[in-house]
Amino acid sequence: MSDLLLAPPCAPDAHRRQLTFATVGVGGAGILAAAVPFVSSFAPSERARALGAAVTVSIEGLSEERLMTVEWRGKPVWILRRSAAQQQRLQSPDLLSALADPASLRREQQPNYAENPQRSIRPEIGVFVALCTHLGCIPAYRPDAGATDLRAGWPGGFFCPCHGSAFDLAGRVFRNVPAPSNLEVPPHRYVSDSVIEVGTDKNAN
């Protein structure tokens, strides 16, 4: 298992471009992590990345409630495998009432095939640009439901320690935080059951 790479929450763009892989898993209330290596043979060249080429990645080894990070167009992109319990919490009435855009009405934040409660093609797999929509910081993955150091009734999600913005496990932003919108869902498609291509629309030929 490779060493964990932790980017500073407000890393500048130059540093963010250097982020090529990391897998983060969190247990309990702390931000503990374990790394799953990114399959380097899938990674495009530096020139291809600069041109915005799609990134193909295997999720075969991604366990439930674990998160992996890949780079696309110089941005970190999370791929999250949600457990059945996490999926169920995404439709909790208490959670929905606490969100600013629970129905993902801001269509520029996701493709049309991600306009659903999970904001994804497959309910168990979430794909999000890992940049807070406030000032572009990288939030922390906090899946620990009920964490006492976060908001009351915390359902699990992403928390940006820079200015306090918070998102659920579908990347939907909470009310009354600095971030103005949900996390972006990039265009993506499944090449196979265990391989995702980030940067290519699902409906592309």
Side-chain angles (χ1 to χ4, degrees):
M1 197 171 277
S2 62
D3 294 335
L4 173 66
L5 298 180
L6 288 178
C10 289
D13 288 342
H15 289 171
R16 195 174 290 128
R17 293 192 194 98
Q18 297 172 0
L19 177 63
T20 54
F21 61 90
T23 300
V24 181
V26 182
I31 305 176
L32 305 176
V36 173
F38 175 64
V39 182
S40 59
S41 61
F42 285 127
S45 66
E46 286 293 331
R47 175 177 168 78
R49 280 200 296 268
L51 294 174
V55 176
T56 306
V57 58
S58 172
I59 59 170
E60 186 173 7
L62 186 62
S63 303
E64 284 190 351
E65 301 193 9
R66 291 294 182 94
L67 184 80
M68 65 188 304
T69 308
V70 297
E71 183 187 29
W72 173 66
R73 292 187 174 179
K75 302 175 184 178
V77 172
W78 286 323
I79 302 175
L80 169 66
R81 187 181 294 274
R82 293 177 287 231
S83 65
Q86 288 178 329
Q87 294 173 54
Q88 185 175 16
R89 286 198 296 272
L90 290 179
Q91 300 189 60
S92 161
D94 288 343
L95 171 61
L96 296 178
S97 66
L99 299 174
D101 184 14
S104 301
L105 296 179
R106 294 190 60 170
R107 296 189 174 181
E108 72 277 9
Q109 292 305 107
Q110 65 279 313
N112 59 7
Y113 46 81
E115 292 175 4
N116 51 55
Q118 297 82 19
R119 302 182 74 229
S120 60
I121 299 172
R122 286 165 44 181
E124 75 276 19
I125 302 294
V127 182
F128 315 105
V129 174
L131 300 177
C132 179
T133 54
H134 178 219
L135 293 177
C137 302
I138 300 177
Y141 175 42
R142 295 295 306 271
D144 39 320
T148 56
D149 60 324
L150 298 176
R151 62 176 56 227
W154 176 249
F158 306 99
F159 177 73
C160 188
C162 298
H163 303 97
S165 293
F167 308 84
D168 74 352
L169 290 169
R172 297 175 296 186
V173 69
F174 281 83
R175 296 181 184 274
N176 303 317
V177 300
S181 60
N182 297 341
L183 296 178
E184 179 187 354
V185 175
H188 62 284
R189 68 182 181 120
Y190 286 84
V191 178
S192 69
D193 187 60
S194 60
V195 176
I196 295 177
E197 190 171 72
V198 179
T200 302
D201 194 275
K202 174 192 173 192
N203 301 316
N205 292 326

